[in-house]
Amino acid sequence: MERFTRQRQAIREVMAELDRPLSPAEVLEAARRKVPSLGIATVYRTLKGLVEEGSAVAVELPGQAPRYELSGKRHHHHFHCTHCGKVFELEGCPGDFSSMLPQGFQAERHEIVLYGRCVECGV
């Protein structure tokens, strides 16, 4: 069990406040507003610890470095802005994909990622 630190608390707070998958650099930028001396090594170490204890999960997108979000959320998917690079959560799931599987196949999990421009980047 990791001990409580200002840095760890700041990282958890920004993950909750921003409430979307964040890259370590995004975590660092936001958390430095709370703890200006925070370094990237501490961010990586803290994210690793949060994942190991089950408080956070890594979000893997094809061709991208992992991003991190707090755990305990319902099943959901993601939107990746191709302009600014931010990733956002999409509520819910379109449903059962069993009809798309080849005969005899059984899906164990799935991930849907939509790509486009977020509202801040415009169309």
Side-chain angles (χ1 to χ4, degrees), residues 58-107:
V59 175
E60 305 280 347
L61 300 178
Q64 299 285 313
R67 289 174 168 80
Y68 300 87
E69 64 186 11
L70 294 177
S71 60
K73 298 178 180 184
R74 296 181 67 183
H75 177 70
H76 62 278
H77 298 287
H78 298 95
F79 179 93
H80 184 202
C81 180
T82 56
H83 187 71
C84 69
K86 291 179 182 174
V87 176
F88 302 88
E89 294 178 4
L90 300 174
E91 292 293 323
C93 181
D96 181 14
F97 295 96
S98 60
S99 65
M100 298 172 65
L101 295 172
Q103 179 100 20
F105 283 53
Q106 183 176 356

Side-chain angles (χ1 to χ4, degrees), residues 19-65:
D19 196 30
R20 63 179 183 82
L22 300 170
S23 69
E26 289 173 315
V27 171
L28 177 65
E29 180 183 346
R32 273 192 172 159
R33 293 184 197 117
K34 298 173 183 286
V35 181
S37 63
L38 184 66
I40 192 69
T42 300
V43 170
Y44 276 105
R45 191 170 43 254
T46 301
L47 290 171
K48 180 180 184 230
L50 292 172
V51 169
E52 287 173 352
E53 75 181 26
S55 296
V57 294
V59 175
E60 305 280 347
L61 300 178
Q64 299 285 313

Side-chain angles (χ1 to χ4, degrees), residues 3-34:
R3 61 189 180 94
F4 175 84
T5 65
R6 284 183 320 131
Q7 295 88 344
R8 182 178 173 88
Q9 183 62 30
I11 290 168
R12 289 176 74 95
E13 285 175 7
V14 299
M15 291 178 75
E17 290 165 3
L18 296 177
D19 196 30
R20 63 179 183 82
L22 300 170
S23 69
E26 289 173 315
V27 171
L28 177 65
E29 180 183 346
R32 273 192 172 159
R33 293 184 197 117
K34 298 173 183 286

